[in-house]
Amino acid sequence: MSDRLDHDVIIAGAGVVGAAIAWHLARAGVRVAIIDATGPAAAASGASDGAVSVASKKPGVMARLASASLIYTHDLAAQGPLQAAFAARPAHIFGSGAAELAAMDTLAAKLNHLSGRVRVVADGGPDLLSGLGTGVDRLMTLEGEGHMPGHKAVRAYLAAPGITCIWPAPLLGYEVADGFVTVRLADRTLRAGQLVLALGVSSPDLIPGLPIVPRAGQLIVTDRGPVGALSGSLTAAAYLVAKTQDGAALPLLPVVIDPLTSGQYLIGSTREDHGDPTRVDFATLRRLLTRAATVWPALRDRRVIRTFAGVRAAVSDSLPIVGPLPGADRVTIVTGFEGDGICLSALIGREVARMLCGLSPDAALAADLAALSPVRFSKNRIEGAA
Ligand SMILES: Cc1cc2nc3c(=O)[nH]c(=O)nc-3n(C[C@H](O)[C@H](O)[C@H](O)COP(=O)(O)OP(=O)(O)OC[C@H]3O[C@@H](n4cnc5c(N)ncnc54)[C@H](O)[C@@H]3O)c2cc1C
């Protein structure tokens, strides 16, 4: 590193994606700093469900990347930083009525075509899981997926030695000149060889014209108690429809019930096209709870102790945006993970770190990673902020 630089790489945004990139860079011996306007996991990463799920991904690029990320997340949990953050667990998908049953057929076909860790271990009637209530015609159990609360993953990544953490420190702007990037904070400027913008839904503040749409999601948390026979998540097939078919009419309410290691249930999540994490939609939450308690009656004995919301950064073409920012040498943008950022973070962290170190991407994933490049949007619409 040149003496003129404070850091080799500065990452703006300490969500799960920025933190994963920081960990991989530090491990490669790169002098890395991560800054955040508020603190670690302050936005979507701290307000998400945390399913590391291949089942819920669109077939094609997203399903292949999710499958590769899931395999790598298992590796990082077995012998890396995610040991205390990631837990493997079964995923139960349930359906009722023609549209949900068809979505389950599509899921089974998708998993058949995808080599990876996730496989169907049971597929049949509601008697496959004791404790189920009514409103379930078919139940499919998958093995290989897992759960990782975003805040735990961020904490785990940033605990590694060699990462300089700076907050609260909003990034106000940057300039690229003379072979380095000058990063402007409120009380100082920093010089780095490279800047990574991992700002989630706030990315357009620094990159005007970026096609990010805020999509809020509300979650419900119950009190603690025994979670009985529910060893893994219980997901309505309507949720797969909501995630994989933009604008599709939903047959029934998409709901996910996740039993947490604390003995609480996490029930979610809504998908509302606005960016206000403080807006509570009681009518939708009531409908979520009603469907959840119908299929899992043990919930009727629980109290709701909290609801909270986060905002996902959705992209107009439903793919994340990852790669060098056109027209701004030394600046990389990594955003737009909508409801998939916890799942994709390990792989994206590894691959962005490789990119910044001048290494080629994993050959098997090169085409899929190239599909995420920001060059797919008009250069006239995306510009680096000065
Ligand atoms: C309700 C809900 C449920 C979800 N469920 C799942 C799930 O089950 N599985 C899954 O994989 N994903 C899920 N997600 C999506 C996942 O949470 C996100 O995709 C992921 O957290 C995005 O991470 P990120 O690092 O890109 O962005 P964020 O976590 O949003 O981080 C961006 C960071 O940038 C900081 N920042 C913003 N502006 C500035 C600035 N000017 N200067 C410095 N810092 C700044 C913010 O403070 C923030 O910490 C869910 C999301 C929501 C809201």
Side-chain angles (χ1 to χ4, degrees), residues 38-59:
T38 310
S45 300
S48 68
D49 179 339
V52 183
S53 162
V54 174
S56 63
K57 301 301 172 282
K58 248 186 183 166

mmCIF file with all atom_site columns, all heavy atoms in Angstrom, residues 38-59:
data_model
loop_
_atom_site.group_PDB
_atom_site.id
_atom_site.type_symbol
_atom_site.label_atom_id
_atom_site.label_alt_id
_atom_site.label_comp_id
_atom_site.label_asym_id
_atom_site.label_entity_id
_atom_site.label_seq_id
_atom_site.pdbx_PDB_ins_code
_atom_site.Cartn_x
_atom_site.Cartn_y
_atom_site.Cartn_z
_atom_site.occupancy
_atom_site.B_iso_or_equiv
_atom_site.pdbx_formal_charge
_atom_site.auth_seq_id
_atom_site.auth_comp_id
_atom_site.auth_asym_id
_atom_site.auth_atom_id
_atom_site.pdbx_PDB_model_num
ATOM 1   N N   . THR A 1 38 ? -24.540 4.893   10.893  1.00 0.00 ? 38 THR A N   1
ATOM 2   C CA  . THR A 1 38 ? -25.110 4.660   12.226  1.00 0.00 ? 38 THR A CA  1
ATOM 3   C C   . THR A 1 38 ? -24.272 3.667   13.030  1.00 0.00 ? 38 THR A C   1
ATOM 4   O O   . THR A 1 38 ? -23.788 3.970   14.112  1.00 0.00 ? 38 THR A O   1
ATOM 5   C CB  . THR A 1 38 ? -26.546 4.098   12.084  1.00 0.00 ? 38 THR A CB  1
ATOM 6   O OG1 . THR A 1 38 ? -27.270 4.948   11.188  1.00 0.00 ? 38 THR A OG1 1
ATOM 7   C CG2 . THR A 1 38 ? -27.249 4.028   13.413  1.00 0.00 ? 38 THR A CG2 1
ATOM 8   N N   . GLY A 1 39 ? -24.125 2.475   12.497  1.00 0.00 ? 39 GLY A N   1
ATOM 9   C CA  . GLY A 1 39 ? -23.385 1.429   13.196  1.00 0.00 ? 39 GLY A CA  1
ATOM 10  C C   . GLY A 1 39 ? -23.617 0.121   12.485  1.00 0.00 ? 39 GLY A C   1
ATOM 11  O O   . GLY A 1 39 ? -24.308 0.078   11.460  1.00 0.00 ? 39 GLY A O   1
ATOM 12  N N   . PRO A 1 40 ? -23.072 -0.993  13.017  1.00 0.00 ? 40 PRO A N   1
ATOM 13  C CA  . PRO A 1 40 ? -23.202 -2.276  12.325  1.00 0.00 ? 40 PRO A CA  1
ATOM 14  C C   . PRO A 1 40 ? -24.648 -2.767  12.279  1.00 0.00 ? 40 PRO A C   1
ATOM 15  O O   . PRO A 1 40 ? -25.385 -2.621  13.254  1.00 0.00 ? 40 PRO A O   1
ATOM 16  C CB  . PRO A 1 40 ? -22.334 -3.218  13.172  1.00 0.00 ? 40 PRO A CB  1
ATOM 17  C CG  . PRO A 1 40 ? -22.187 -2.538  14.488  1.00 0.00 ? 40 PRO A CG  1
ATOM 18  C CD  . PRO A 1 40 ? -22.297 -1.071  14.252  1.00 0.00 ? 40 PRO A CD  1
ATOM 19  N N   . ALA A 1 41 ? -25.048 -3.312  11.148  1.00 0.00 ? 41 ALA A N   1
ATOM 20  C CA  . ALA A 1 41 ? -26.387 -3.899  10.950  1.00 0.00 ? 41 ALA A CA  1
ATOM 21  C C   . ALA A 1 41 ? -27.506 -2.911  11.278  1.00 0.00 ? 41 ALA A C   1
ATOM 22  O O   . ALA A 1 41 ? -28.542 -3.294  11.805  1.00 0.00 ? 41 ALA A O   1
ATOM 23  C CB  . ALA A 1 41 ? -26.533 -5.185  11.774  1.00 0.00 ? 41 ALA A CB  1
ATOM 24  N N   . ALA A 1 42 ? -27.287 -1.649  10.947  1.00 0.00 ? 42 ALA A N   1
ATOM 25  C CA  . ALA A 1 42 ? -28.262 -0.623  11.320  1.00 0.00 ? 42 ALA A CA  1
ATOM 26  C C   . ALA A 1 42 ? -29.482 -0.608  10.412  1.00 0.00 ? 42 ALA A C   1
ATOM 27  O O   . ALA A 1 42 ? -30.519 -0.061  10.785  1.00 0.00 ? 42 ALA A O   1
ATOM 28  C CB  . ALA A 1 42 ? -27.589 0.749   11.273  1.00 0.00 ? 42 ALA A CB  1
ATOM 29  N N   . ALA A 1 43 ? -29.391 -1.193  9.227   1.00 0.00 ? 43 ALA A N   1
ATOM 30  C CA  . ALA A 1 43 ? -30.523 -1.108  8.295   1.00 0.00 ? 43 ALA A CA  1
ATOM 31  C C   . ALA A 1 43 ? -31.096 -2.514  8.037   1.00 0.00 ? 43 ALA A C   1
ATOM 32  O O   . ALA A 1 43 ? -31.366 -3.249  8.984   1.00 0.00 ? 43 ALA A O   1
ATOM 33  C CB  . ALA A 1 43 ? -30.092 -0.401  7.017   1.00 0.00 ? 43 ALA A CB  1
ATOM 34  N N   . ALA A 1 44 ? -31.232 -2.907  6.779   1.00 0.00 ? 44 ALA A N   1
ATOM 35  C CA  . ALA A 1 44 ? -31.933 -4.161  6.465   1.00 0.00 ? 44 ALA A CA  1
ATOM 36  C C   . ALA A 1 44 ? -31.339 -5.369  7.187   1.00 0.00 ? 44 ALA A C   1
ATOM 37  O O   . ALA A 1 44 ? -32.067 -6.260  7.648   1.00 0.00 ? 44 ALA A O   1
ATOM 38  C CB  . ALA A 1 44 ? -31.920 -4.396  4.955   1.00 0.00 ? 44 ALA A CB  1
ATOM 39  N N   . SER A 1 45 ? -30.010 -5.406  7.299   1.00 0.00 ? 45 SER A N   1
ATOM 40  C CA  . SER A 1 45 ? -29.378 -6.593  7.893   1.00 0.00 ? 45 SER A CA  1
ATOM 41  C C   . SER A 1 45 ? -29.799 -6.823  9.337   1.00 0.00 ? 45 SER A C   1
ATOM 42  O O   . SER A 1 45 ? -29.779 -7.953  9.819   1.00 0.00 ? 45 SER A O   1
ATOM 43  C CB  . SER A 1 45 ? -27.849 -6.479  7.811   1.00 0.00 ? 45 SER A CB  1
ATOM 44  O OG  . SER A 1 45 ? -27.454 -6.369  6.475   1.00 0.00 ? 45 SER A OG  1
ATOM 45  N N   . GLY A 1 46 ? -30.163 -5.756  10.023  1.00 0.00 ? 46 GLY A N   1
ATOM 46  C CA  . GLY A 1 46 ? -30.581 -5.896  11.418  1.00 0.00 ? 46 GLY A CA  1
ATOM 47  C C   . GLY A 1 46 ? -32.084 -6.066  11.561  1.00 0.00 ? 46 GLY A C   1
ATOM 48  O O   . GLY A 1 46 ? -32.602 -6.145  12.672  1.00 0.00 ? 46 GLY A O   1
ATOM 49  N N   . ALA A 1 47 ? -32.800 -6.099  10.450  1.00 0.00 ? 47 ALA A N   1
ATOM 50  C CA  . ALA A 1 47 ? -34.265 -6.152  10.518  1.00 0.00 ? 47 ALA A CA  1
ATOM 51  C C   . ALA A 1 47 ? -34.809 -7.177  9.536   1.00 0.00 ? 47 ALA A C   1
ATOM 52  O O   . ALA A 1 47 ? -35.801 -6.943  8.872   1.00 0.00 ? 47 ALA A O   1
ATOM 53  C CB  . ALA A 1 47 ? -34.834 -4.772  10.203  1.00 0.00 ? 47 ALA A CB  1
ATOM 54  N N   . SER A 1 48 ? -34.132 -8.314  9.457   1.00 0.00 ? 48 SER A N   1
ATOM 55  C CA  . SER A 1 48 ? -34.562 -9.296  8.460   1.00 0.00 ? 48 SER A CA  1
ATOM 56  C C   . SER A 1 48 ? -34.874 -10.622 9.136   1.00 0.00 ? 48 SER A C   1
ATOM 57  O O   . SER A 1 48 ? -34.572 -10.817 10.314  1.00 0.00 ? 48 SER A O   1
ATOM 58  C CB  . SER A 1 48 ? -33.453 -9.508  7.426   1.00 0.00 ? 48 SER A CB  1
ATOM 59  O OG  . SER A 1 48 ? -32.371 -10.148 8.020   1.00 0.00 ? 48 SER A OG  1
ATOM 60  N N   . ASP A 1 49 ? -35.441 -11.537 8.372   1.00 0.00 ? 49 ASP A N   1
ATOM 61  C CA  . ASP A 1 49 ? -35.718 -12.860 8.904   1.00 0.00 ? 49 ASP A CA  1
ATOM 62  C C   . ASP A 1 49 ? -34.410 -13.641 9.054   1.00 0.00 ? 49 ASP A C   1
ATOM 63  O O   . ASP A 1 49 ? -34.060 -14.084 10.135  1.00 0.00 ? 49 ASP A O   1
ATOM 64  C CB  . ASP A 1 49 ? -36.706 -13.578 7.968   1.00 0.00 ? 49 ASP A CB  1
ATOM 65  C CG  . ASP A 1 49 ? -37.028 -14.988 8.434   1.00 0.00 ? 49 ASP A CG  1
ATOM 66  O OD1 . ASP A 1 49 ? -36.236 -15.538 9.209   1.00 0.00 ? 49 ASP A OD1 1
ATOM 67  O OD2 . ASP A 1 49 ? -38.046 -15.543 8.016   1.00 0.00 ? 49 ASP A OD2 1
ATOM 68  N N   . GLY A 1 50 ? -33.678 -13.792 7.952   1.00 0.00 ? 50 GLY A N   1
ATOM 69  C CA  . GLY A 1 50 ? -32.390 -14.474 8.044   1.00 0.00 ? 50 GLY A CA  1
ATOM 70  C C   . GLY A 1 50 ? -32.371 -15.860 7.437   1.00 0.00 ? 50 GLY A C   1
ATOM 71  O O   . GLY A 1 50 ? -31.443 -16.637 7.671   1.00 0.00 ? 50 GLY A O   1
ATOM 72  N N   . ALA A 1 51 ? -33.380 -16.161 6.619   1.00 0.00 ? 51 ALA A N   1
ATOM 73  C CA  . ALA A 1 51 ? -33.381 -17.469 5.962   1.00 0.00 ? 51 ALA A CA  1
ATOM 74  C C   . ALA A 1 51 ? -32.257 -17.522 4.927   1.00 0.00 ? 51 ALA A C   1
ATOM 75  O O   . ALA A 1 51 ? -32.139 -16.628 4.100   1.00 0.00 ? 51 ALA A O   1
ATOM 76  C CB  . ALA A 1 51 ? -34.721 -17.699 5.273   1.00 0.00 ? 51 ALA A CB  1
ATOM 77  N N   . VAL A 1 52 ? -31.450 -18.557 5.007   1.00 0.00 ? 52 VAL A N   1
ATOM 78  C CA  . VAL A 1 52 ? -30.442 -18.788 3.956   1.00 0.00 ? 52 VAL A CA  1
ATOM 79  C C   . VAL A 1 52 ? -31.053 -19.882 3.089   1.00 0.00 ? 52 VAL A C   1
ATOM 80  O O   . VAL A 1 52 ? -30.892 -21.075 3.333   1.00 0.00 ? 52 VAL A O   1
ATOM 81  C CB  . VAL A 1 52 ? -29.084 -19.185 4.567   1.00 0.00 ? 52 VAL A CB  1
ATOM 82  C CG1 . VAL A 1 52 ? -28.033 -19.337 3.469   1.00 0.00 ? 52 VAL A CG1 1
ATOM 83  C CG2 . VAL A 1 52 ? -28.634 -18.115 5.559   1.00 0.00 ? 52 VAL A CG2 1
ATOM 84  N N   . SER A 1 53 ? -31.816 -19.423 2.111   1.00 0.00 ? 53 SER A N   1
ATOM 85  C CA  . SER A 1 53 ? -32.735 -20.317 1.405   1.00 0.00 ? 53 SER A CA  1
ATOM 86  C C   . SER A 1 53 ? -32.504 -20.301 -0.097  1.00 0.00 ? 53 SER A C   1
ATOM 87  O O   . SER A 1 53 ? -32.413 -19.242 -0.711  1.00 0.00 ? 53 SER A O   1
ATOM 88  C CB  . SER A 1 53 ? -34.171 -19.863 1.701   1.00 0.00 ? 53 SER A CB  1
ATOM 89  O OG  . SER A 1 53 ? -35.066 -20.396 0.761   1.00 0.00 ? 53 SER A OG  1
ATOM 90  N N   . VAL A 1 54 ? -32.433 -21.475 -0.660  1.00 0.00 ? 54 VAL A N   1
ATOM 91  C CA  . VAL A 1 54 ? -32.367 -21.612 -2.120  1.00 0.00 ? 54 VAL A CA  1
ATOM 92  C C   . VAL A 1 54 ? -33.795 -21.760 -2.670  1.00 0.00 ? 54 VAL A C   1
ATOM 93  O O   . VAL A 1 54 ? -34.125 -21.291 -3.751  1.00 0.00 ? 54 VAL A O   1
ATOM 94  C CB  . VAL A 1 54 ? -31.508 -22.831 -2.508  1.00 0.00 ? 54 VAL A CB  1
ATOM 95  C CG1 . VAL A 1 54 ? -31.536 -23.079 -4.007  1.00 0.00 ? 54 VAL A CG1 1
ATOM 96  C CG2 . VAL A 1 54 ? -30.067 -22.626 -2.038  1.00 0.00 ? 54 VAL A CG2 1
ATOM 97  N N   . ALA A 1 55 ? -34.652 -22.392 -1.873  1.00 0.00 ? 55 ALA A N   1
ATOM 98  C CA  . ALA A 1 55 ? -36.027 -22.658 -2.323  1.00 0.00 ? 55 ALA A CA  1
ATOM 99  C C   . ALA A 1 55 ? -36.733 -21.395 -2.773  1.00 0.00 ? 55 ALA A C   1
ATOM 100 O O   . ALA A 1 55 ? -37.508 -21.408 -3.720  1.00 0.00 ? 55 ALA A O   1
ATOM 101 C CB  . ALA A 1 55 ? -36.813 -23.318 -1.195  1.00 0.00 ? 55 ALA A CB  1
ATOM 102 N N   . SER A 1 56 ? -36.452 -20.279 -2.090  1.00 0.00 ? 56 SER A N   1
ATOM 103 C CA  . SER A 1 56 ? -37.209 -19.059 -2.371  1.00 0.00 ? 56 SER A CA  1
ATOM 104 C C   . SER A 1 56 ? -36.610 -18.228 -3.512  1.00 0.00 ? 56 SER A C   1
ATOM 105 O O   . SER A 1 56 ? -37.088 -17.130 -3.776  1.00 0.00 ? 56 SER A O   1
ATOM 106 C CB  . SER A 1 56 ? -37.283 -18.198 -1.102  1.00 0.00 ? 56 SER A CB  1
ATOM 107 O OG  . SER A 1 56 ? -35.985 -17.799 -0.729  1.00 0.00 ? 56 SER A OG  1
ATOM 108 N N   . LYS A 1 57 ? -35.579 -18.733 -4.179  1.00 0.00 ? 57 LYS A N   1
ATOM 109 C CA  . LYS A 1 57 ? -34.930 -17.912 -5.214  1.00 0.00 ? 57 LYS A CA  1
ATOM 110 C C   . LYS A 1 57 ? -35.498 -18.199 -6.600  1.00 0.00 ? 57 LYS A C   1
ATOM 111 O O   . LYS A 1 57 ? -35.860 -19.338 -6.911  1.00 0.00 ? 57 LYS A O   1
ATOM 112 C CB  . LYS A 1 57 ? -33.411 -18.157 -5.242  1.00 0.00 ? 57 LYS A CB  1
ATOM 113 C CG  . LYS A 1 57 ? -32.716 -17.868 -3.944  1.00 0.00 ? 57 LYS A CG  1
ATOM 114 C CD  . LYS A 1 57 ? -32.903 -16.430 -3.500  1.00 0.00 ? 57 LYS A CD  1
ATOM 115 C CE  . LYS A 1 57 ? -32.352 -16.197 -2.100  1.00 0.00 ? 57 LYS A CE  1
ATOM 116 N NZ  . LYS A 1 57 ? -33.190 -16.659 -0.997  1.00 0.00 ? 57 LYS A NZ  1
ATOM 117 N N   . LYS A 1 58 ? -35.513 -17.131 -7.413  1.00 0.00 ? 58 LYS A N   1
ATOM 118 C CA  . LYS A 1 58 ? -35.925 -17.278 -8.808  1.00 0.00 ? 58 LYS A CA  1
ATOM 119 C C   . LYS A 1 58 ? -35.020 -18.275 -9.505  1.00 0.00 ? 58 LYS A C   1
ATOM 120 O O   . LYS A 1 58 ? -33.793 -18.202 -9.334  1.00 0.00 ? 58 LYS A O   1
ATOM 121 C CB  . LYS A 1 58 ? -35.730 -15.930 -9.511  1.00 0.00 ? 58 LYS A CB  1
ATOM 122 C CG  . LYS A 1 58 ? -36.985 -15.278 -9.916  1.00 0.00 ? 58 LYS A CG  1
ATOM 123 C CD  . LYS A 1 58 ? -36.683 -14.047 -10.725 1.00 0.00 ? 58 LYS A CD  1
ATOM 124 C CE  . LYS A 1 58 ? -38.023 -13.418 -11.027 1.00 0.00 ? 58 LYS A CE  1
ATOM 125 N NZ  . LYS A 1 58 ? -37.982 -12.110 -11.514 1.00 0.00 ? 58 LYS A NZ  1
ATOM 126 N N   . PRO A 1 59 ? -35.573 -19.187 -10.314 1.00 0.00 ? 59 PRO A N   1
ATOM 127 C CA  . PRO A 1 59 ? -34.705 -20.097 -11.068 1.00 0.00 ? 59 PRO A CA  1
ATOM 128 C C   . PRO A 1 59 ? -33.743 -19.284 -11.942 1.00 0.00 ? 59 PRO A C   1
ATOM 129 O O   . PRO A 1 59 ? -34.067 -18.180 -12.349 1.00 0.00 ? 59 PRO A O   1
ATOM 130 C CB  . PRO A 1 59 ? -35.684 -20.882 -11.948 1.00 0.00 ? 59 PRO A CB  1
ATOM 131 C CG  . PRO A 1 59 ? -37.008 -20.737 -11.290 1.00 0.00 ? 59 PRO A CG  1
ATOM 132 C CD  . PRO A 1 59 ? -36.994 -19.423 -10.572 1.00 0.00 ? 59 PRO A CD  1
#
